Amino acid sequence: MTDTTGQRIVTLEIGGERRSFDIDDPHLPDWISDRALSSDGYPYDRKLDNDRYETELRQLQIELVKVQSWMQKSGERVIALFEGRDAAGKGGSIFAVRAYLNPRSARVVALPKPTETEAGQWYFQRYVQHFPTRGEIVLFDRSWYNRAVVEPVMGFCTPKQHRHFLNAAPVFEKLIVEDGIHFFKFWLNIGREMQLKRFHDRRHDPLKIWKLSPMDIASLDRWEDYGEKRDLMLKETHTPHAPWTVVRANDKRRARLNIIRHLLQSLDYEGKDAASIGEIDRRILDFGPKAFR
């Protein structure tokens, strides 16, 4: 909400206490900074050491280069979509996956608001035209799952459209998998205080302020509604052929490493080095609705 002075202030209930958060105040309140990493029951009390992160990330990115070479030879296709609340780390995770891949066959798709023409089409139509051809990997920075969470929360679709989507998505995705595409769905999950911290960081960093949209501000007091729609989405669209991979993303470093490990472990490519891939941290990465129990 916006107060009479024009400052963007929201009153939140955190841990049974009512708190006021002014995103325009350059000082981040202690109640946010102290709780950000541990929010939503995050299992670690500190971020992964950066030197360790960089070492492990390089090994995994070498494996990703092998994957791309294998795809070019075999014609295999990959779709990976990244979903999550605003500031969950979708873009950074995609960047870590794609950093050393040939951009000619590793594409990122981040679609804007639908045009009037697109709004009148079959809902999935504008996404299908971006699907991979032989040897391509396509990474969706948000996807058709806008209709599962963002659109119903913000009033951009009707309840009937929302329900129709939840029924149709598993059928649509079965067609994707049956056509031989390797298909991944990642939900990046963050706690409320971590989201507030990241919003605040964006607001006060001149290099990142473009990432903070009016939609982000409008979502501040809709946390519970987002959570309810997320839970319903996971319940209705987590299927054996297209499972949801849920990643605890309060620490971006751990999230990125485990996302890449899951991708690599799921693909049977030439020259696969299991030792370089390592083991997935099951405290960070889980599957489907049970991840929130």
Side-chain angles (χ1 to χ4, degrees):
M1 63 186 70
T2 305
D3 75 354
T4 55
T5 67
Q7 292 179 313
R8 290 172 288 188
I9 301 174
V10 64
T11 301
L12 310 166
E13 187 165 326
I14 304 287
E17 300 180 48
R18 293 184 66 78
R19 303 277 194 172
S20 291
F21 173 58
D22 178 2
I23 197 169
D24 289 328
D25 185 343
H27 173 70
L28 182 67
D30 291 343
W31 63 268
I32 295 178
S33 58
D34 292 346
R35 301 180 186 181
L37 186 62
S38 63
S39 57
D40 198 42
Y42 192 73
Y44 291 98
D45 59 7
R46 64 181 61 186
K47 292 181 179 180
L48 184 68
D49 176 77
N50 190 59
D51 288 343
R52 177 180 169 186
Y53 167 69
E54 293 291 346
T55 298
E56 294 184 10
L57 180 62
R58 184 175 187 277
Q59 292 175 328
L60 295 173
Q61 288 172 331
I62 290 171
E63 292 299 302
L64 285 170
V65 171
K66 294 179 186 179
V67 167
Q68 189 171 46
S69 177
W70 163 74
M71 290 177 63
Q72 292 291 295
K73 294 175 183 176
S74 65
E76 297 289 336
R77 296 165 292 164
V78 172
I79 292 175
L81 57 85
F82 292 76
E83 293 286 349
R85 295 179 188 268
D86 297 316
K90 299 178 290 297
S93 297
I94 289 170
F95 180 83
V97 171
R98 187 172 176 260
Y100 293 100
L101 300 182
N102 185 337
R104 293 177 180 171
S105 55
R107 294 188 286 113
V108 178
V109 177
L111 299 184
K113 176 182 175 181
T115 65
E116 185 175 347
T117 298
E118 289 171 335
Q121 295 172 340
W122 176 49
Y123 180 74
F124 297 98
Q125 187 167 337
R126 75 185 191 124
Y127 297 100
V128 172
Q129 63 183 315
H130 296 282
F131 277 19
T133 189
R134 286 178 52 86
E136 277 194 322
I137 178 171
V138 174
L139 309 168
F140 280 92
D141 188 345
R142 293 201 181 276
S143 67
W144 45 93
Y145 278 98
N146 280 329
R147 180 142 293 180
V149 182
V150 175
E151 290 188 20
V153 169
M154 303 306 295
F156 297 153
C157 72
T158 67
K160 181 178 180 180
Q161 289 172 323
H162 178 220
R163 170 42 57 188
H164 177 72
F165 172 84
L166 294 175
N167 293 337
V171 179
F172 172 63
E173 291 166 2
K174 190 171 185 180
L175 296 174
I176 294 173
V177 175
E178 287 181 345
D179 199 55
I181 296 174
H182 302 277
F183 182 51
F184 300 89
K185 300 189 300 190
F186 293 103
W187 176 270
L188 276 62
N189 199 67
I190 56 172
R192 194 170 198 182
E193 289 92 338
M194 179 55 76
Q195 186 189 54
L196 294 174
K197 180 182 183 302
R198 291 181 184 176
F199 279 178
H200 188 269
D201 291 346
R202 291 177 177 185
R203 169 65 183 86
H204 298 281
D205 185 338
L207 296 178
K208 296 181 179 179
I209 194 168
W210 63 271
K211 293 185 175 183
L212 188 68
S213 71
M215 188 80 66
D216 296 333
I217 304 302
S219 72
L220 280 173
D221 56 1
R222 292 177 168 88
W223 180 267
E224 290 79 10
D225 197 3
Y226 268 88
E228 290 173 4
K229 296 300 188 298
R230 173 205 64 197
D231 292 348
L232 180 60
M233 175 197 75
L234 292 175
K235 176 177 178 290
E236 298 288 337
T237 65
H238 177 68
T239 62
H241 58 271
W244 274 104
T245 303
V246 178
V247 184
R248 292 184 179 274
N250 280 359
D251 178 2
K252 296 178 182 180
R253 296 168 186 168
R254 287 189 173 92
R256 293 167 187 170
L257 294 178
N258 283 280
I259 286 169
I260 299 174
R261 286 192 176 109
H262 177 64
L263 286 167
L264 294 171
Q265 288 190 3
S266 302
L267 299 170
D268 187 19
Y269 59 94
E270 287 181 9
K272 190 171 186 175
D273 185 343
S276 293
I277 296 171
E279 295 298 323
I280 289 172
D281 185 344
R282 294 300 176 190
R283 290 171 291 182
I284 297 298
L285 188 147
D286 204 344
F287 300 96
K290 67 183 177 68
F292 294 100
R293 291 174 188 164

